[in-house]
Amino acid sequence: MSLPDFLIAGVPKAGTTALHAALTAHPQLFLPPVKEPKFFLSDGPPPAHGGPGDVQTYQEHVWRRADYEALFAPAPPGARKGEATPFYLHDLAAHDRIKALVPDVRIILLLRDPVDRAHSNWTHLWNAGLEPEADFLAACRAEPGRRAAGWAQFWHYLDLGRYGHQVEHLYQRFSRDQVLLLRYRELKDAPRATLDRVCAFLGVRTGLLGAIPRENVNRHVVEDTAVNRVLRGLLRSGGNFGHRFPVPLRLAARGPLLTLLHRKTGTRPVTTPAERAELLPHFAADIALLQDVTGERYDDWLSVDRHARTADTPPIQ
């Protein structure tokens, strides 16, 4: 039976892609080339509808157990096997599915300032041409309606960042020594020491990894122009031009459309004090819960002034 020994289970836009890429270089670890198989997010086929681009993403889910186990079959004998699906922490039902199938699994969590994480999440989807709202705060205000309409987890900008409730639920299913809790800025500011912590947690040799690849980075924001609004509309509809063309052709159209959308870009976006002031009340109680549950301090996340705190600016994702 080929099942994972460890999971990078959270959170999106907090360095999980970079950590996955770094760990693949360790000779005692095996991570399949398919990142985010999302196996534990459902008990069967994924949903058939959602927000812009969701159906295409759902088609990529590895939801059959035989297919999931096949991802780990090429692992060398004795290697510790793992995968990275950063939505597992947010999906509370996934905790129970993981517990039922791999109760001894080790779980790695990367947490990031929830406002910065939400902003990076919005920028990712905006740059992909999928986010309809040109204003970050407007997109956050639209979240309840989107969730009610069945949009996928990646659209849950605020709820994905309520780590306190999620970690509390996870600790009720797994012992704390099975969970390694890291901060995004630790991976960014001290990669070698952080990678050694990860390797020690997984029971493999330390001192072999020292660099974090720069992957999946929002270094810019695509401008909101009349031409770009047309391109976004096509991308949100799947580039389907009224469903007149077959799915493979519609998917093939995404590349050229994105190239046109990214033909001219602005500067890399950051959260503003005004944005933080509006959104922090959504997280304050949950940050307090996270501190109680973990015994760690996250006071810097509560600051509105970016220069008065240790900023989680994103050179890695």
Side-chain angles (χ1 to χ4, degrees):
M1 182 170 63
S2 295
L3 289 169
D5 302 298
F6 68 93
L7 300 169
I8 303 172
V11 296
K13 310 309 295 180
T16 57
T17 297
L19 179 59
H20 175 277
L23 294 182
T24 59
H26 198 291
Q28 294 176 283
L29 299 176
F30 175 83
L31 294 93
V34 176
K35 184 181 179 286
E36 298 189 24
K38 302 181 176 71
F39 175 73
F40 292 105
L41 295 183
S42 65
D43 290 314
H49 68 280
D54 287 349
V55 174
Q56 293 173 17
T57 300
Y58 288 146
Q59 292 172 349
E60 300 168 358
H61 283 213
V62 181
W63 59 271
R64 295 180 180 87
R65 179 166 172 175
D67 294 337
Y68 187 61
E69 291 194 26
L71 295 178
F72 305 101
R80 293 194 177 271
K81 304 179 292 292
E83 59 110 329
T85 298
F87 298 99
Y88 287 157
L89 178 63
H90 176 256
D91 191 317
L92 302 187
H95 302 178
D96 294 317
R97 297 185 188 104
I98 295 168
K99 180 69 175 180
L101 190 61
V102 282
D104 297 324
V105 74
R106 289 187 167 261
I107 297 172
I108 301 168
L109 303 178
L110 282 155
L111 304 185
R112 181 180 181 181
D113 177 303
V115 178
D116 284 350
R117 193 222 65 81
H119 192 269
S120 181
N121 195 156
W122 168 82
T123 304
H124 179 112
L125 288 169
W126 173 258
N127 283 352
L130 299 175
E131 171 56 68
E133 292 288 350
D135 179 74
F136 169 51
L137 292 179
C140 290
R141 297 181 196 117
E143 181 173 325
R146 294 173 173 185
R147 293 177 62 190
W151 290 28
Q153 293 181 64
F154 201 37
W155 296 96
H156 302 182
Y157 300 151
L158 301 183
D159 202 54
L160 277 166
R162 295 189 174 103
Y163 315 130
H165 174 57
Q166 300 162 22
V167 172
E168 181 181 49
H169 189 271
L170 189 73
Y171 280 168
Q172 292 168 354
R173 271 84 182 151
F174 297 91
S175 65
R176 295 187 179 224
D177 61 6
Q178 287 180 255
V179 181
L180 177 63
L181 190 63
L182 300 171
R183 292 184 62 152
Y184 166 84
R185 73 183 192 199
E186 293 175 316
L187 191 65
K188 175 174 70 77
D189 295 340
R192 184 177 297 276
T194 304
L195 289 170
D196 276 348
R197 283 183 64 193
V198 172
C199 290
F201 174 71
L202 297 178
V204 297
R205 285 179 57 194
T206 60
L208 300 184
L209 305 177
I212 296 293
R214 293 193 175 194
E215 299 199 10
N216 196 28
V217 182
N218 291 325
R219 292 190 178 90
H220 61 265
V221 62
V222 175
E223 294 182 333
D224 183 26
T225 64
V227 172
N228 283 353
R229 283 193 287 273
V230 173
L231 294 172
R232 292 178 186 285
L234 292 171
L235 285 162
R236 288 197 297 275
S237 65
N240 57 21
F241 307 100
H243 300 278
R244 291 177 293 172
F245 299 108
V247 172
L249 188 57
R250 299 202 307 258
L251 293 177
R254 286 190 57 82
L257 288 172
L258 284 170
T259 298
L260 287 171
L261 184 65
H262 294 167
R263 70 197 183 282
K264 183 179 179 182
T265 58
T267 57
R268 178 172 59 81
V270 296
T271 51
T272 66
E275 289 169 338
R276 293 191 63 81
E278 177 165 336
L279 294 182
L280 279 175
H282 293 275
F283 298 111
D286 187 79
I287 291 173
L289 174 61
L290 180 65
Q291 294 184 146
D292 289 342
V293 168
T294 65
E296 305 278 348
R297 303 304 303 175
Y298 297 91
D299 297 341
D300 53 302
W301 289 355
L302 295 170
S303 174
V304 171
D305 184 354
R306 186 171 191 83
H307 300 289
R309 63 192 182 91
T310 304
D312 284 335
T313 52
I316 60 172
Q317 298 294 340

